Amino acid sequence: MMAFREDNHSRSSLTLYELNQLVRETLQLEMPDEYWVEAELSEAREVRGHCYMELIQKDLFNNTPIARASAKCWKNTWMKIGPKFEYITGQTIHAGMQVLLKVHADFHEAYGFSWIVTDIDPTFTLGDMAKKRQEIIRQLKEEGVYDLQKELEIPMFAQRIAVISSENAAGYGDFCNQLEHNDYEFKFYVRLFPAIMQGEQVEQSIISALNEINELADDFDVVVIIRGGGATADLSGFDTLNLAENVANFPLPIITGIGHERDESVLDMISHTRVKTPTAAASFLIDHLSHVYDRIEDCRTSISHWVSRRMEVEKIRLDKLAEKIPMLFSLVKSRQEMHLQQCNNRLVFAIREILTKQTYRLGQLNDMFTPLKEHVFNRERYRLDLLSHRIEALDPKLLLKRGYSITMHKGKSVRNPADLSDGDEIETRLEKGILKSVVIKRE
């Protein structure tokens, strides 16, 4: 029984510890049972194996919190129910998750009230997760982007690969190793765009990597989003509307291999191709290129076969034509010889006819030109006679006979005494001889 104290004013009172003890005893008496409660986690953390949770309930219309409470799951219980929850849901508990908890009330005099968690129903969370996924899918379909990735075609020679993954993830190493050591010795060119692949920053980290790839879209054929080497839980970051919209509207085909084997994430659903693991993504790219190689080989074989067959057909055709050539040649030769003979006959006849006409015309022209020729000859002969008389009249010998003389110096006639100098030798030609003189000029 509690001992009530009387103060100076005759009023009874309790210490805080006594009051809290009274509350604990009342709860133990009035609420001895366990209860299943639906709530949203506003916070969840593990400390030294214990799980501490903050529960919240929001108003359906304005999303305002209308109830809050703290909950704890002690280590011995959490070690049992925690792994089971992760295995079934594929996620660790985190803020924003809807959970169905089995709790009982607990009040400690020193630490106050909290709900003690003894069990958690993963099927409830699965249902809520599925509901969220369906809502995201519905919005994507309403926006008309749900199938955009499926409409893209992976290039025939998809060898330039942009990879979004954690830089140190074992899955990324397995992916690169698988591509590098493929049986066909195909060459792939891989560039990593690092991103956080687990936790609350998954969405924004992958979107940032996609934006970076988009600026270099012409340098790549496909994008591969892979996650490996870590826990298979905590995949909620791949089930967001914002990430799904970015992937759906991306201009390059996106292949996902995030290692989630039980359920497809929204990212898997919206991507071009979904595989289970990073190595499966590498195998998919190798197989795609091998199919292209096989098609090329099939085409090469078909072309070779078609060419061989066509050559055989043409050879047969040529052989048949070769058999016909002698007969055809003889026929053509005869026809051409006859044609040439006809042409020769026509040409000889034409030449003879032309020669006859031209001979007759030349005769006519000769008859016309004979009188004219004699007239011209007579006129020119008379003109030559006149010129001859003039030349004879101008002959220097006639001048010499008349008593004139000609003075020459160096083969030229002297016309001006000024052209001569003292001592120059000159010749004077007379009718009957030549006189040589030396010039002496007198002042």
Side-chain angles (χ1 to χ4, degrees), residues 18-218:
E18 290 172 339
L19 180 61
N20 285 352
Q21 189 178 33
L22 179 61
V23 172
R24 179 172 63 81
E25 292 174 352
T26 302
L27 286 173
Q28 289 176 347
L29 291 174
E30 297 298 328
M31 301 183 67
D33 300 325
E34 293 183 326
Y35 307 93
W36 285 101
V37 59
E38 300 176 9
E40 178 183 333
L41 294 175
S42 62
E43 184 180 345
R45 65 188 186 280
E46 289 190 34
V47 181
R48 295 188 294 275
H50 309 296
C51 184
Y52 295 88
M53 312 173 198
E54 293 297 326
L55 309 181
I56 191 173
Q57 180 180 345
K58 297 178 181 178
D59 188 277
L60 293 176
F61 301 101
N62 54 26
N63 217 28
T64 302
I66 58 176
R68 294 179 182 273
S70 297
K72 303 182 183 70
C73 186
W74 303 124
K75 181 177 180 179
N76 59 342
T77 303
W78 185 245
M79 290 179 64
K80 298 177 183 177
I81 66 175
K84 178 183 176 182
F85 179 84
E86 291 182 10
Y87 177 79
I88 294 176
T89 63
Q91 299 189 34
T92 57
I93 63 171
H94 58 267
M97 179 179 283
Q98 294 289 335
V99 291
L100 179 61
L101 305 173
K102 190 175 186 180
V103 299
H104 64 80
D106 179 74
F107 190 88
H108 191 278
E109 291 84 345
Y111 303 109
F113 178 82
S114 65
W115 295 102
I116 303 301
V117 178
T118 59
D119 200 0
I120 183 170
D121 185 357
T123 58
F124 175 84
T125 303
L126 279 175
D128 182 68
M129 290 164 54
K131 181 179 178 181
K132 288 182 178 179
R133 287 178 185 171
Q134 290 301 320
E135 178 61 22
I136 292 174
I137 292 171
R138 184 190 64 78
Q139 291 188 49
L140 293 173
K141 289 183 177 180
E142 285 185 356
E143 294 172 8
V145 300
Y146 183 79
D147 293 317
L148 287 182
Q149 272 285 313
K150 303 294 189 297
E151 295 173 2
L152 298 177
E153 291 187 7
I154 296 179
M156 291 182 64
F157 299 95
Q159 296 173 277
R160 303 174 302 166
I161 317 300
V163 179
I164 298 177
S165 178
S166 175
E167 187 170 7
N168 299 318
Y172 172 65
D174 295 339
F175 174 82
C176 293
N177 185 64
Q178 183 98 345
L179 288 183
E180 184 176 359
H181 299 96
N182 66 86
D183 295 337
Y184 302 92
E185 298 184 353
F186 294 145
K187 297 298 181 183
F188 292 91
Y189 307 93
V190 179
R191 177 174 173 182
L192 175 66
F193 293 82
I196 298 171
M197 304 303 288
Q198 186 167 326
E200 297 180 359
Q201 299 180 19
V202 169
E203 176 191 76
Q204 190 54 47
S205 182
I206 294 179
I207 291 175
S208 297
L210 288 173
N211 290 336
E212 188 176 352
I213 295 171
N214 188 46
E215 294 179 357
L216 305 170
D218 293 338

Side-chain angles (χ1 to χ4, degrees), residues 228-259:
T232 58
D234 199 13
L235 296 173
S236 60
F238 300 100
D239 287 331
T240 67
L241 178 62
N242 193 19
L243 177 58
E245 289 175 335
N246 275 270
V247 170
N249 288 285
F250 203 74
L252 297 176
I254 294 179
I255 301 168
T256 58
I258 58 178

Side-chain angles (χ1 to χ4, degrees), residues 343-367:
C343 291
N344 182 65
N345 294 337
R346 287 198 296 269
L347 182 61
V348 170
F349 177 79
I351 291 174
R352 288 176 178 175
E353 186 177 2
I354 292 172
L355 286 174
T356 302
K357 290 181 179 179
Q358 295 303 320
T359 300
Y360 176 74
R361 185 166 178 270
L362 287 174
Q364 289 180 327
L365 290 174
N366 184 59
D367 294 340

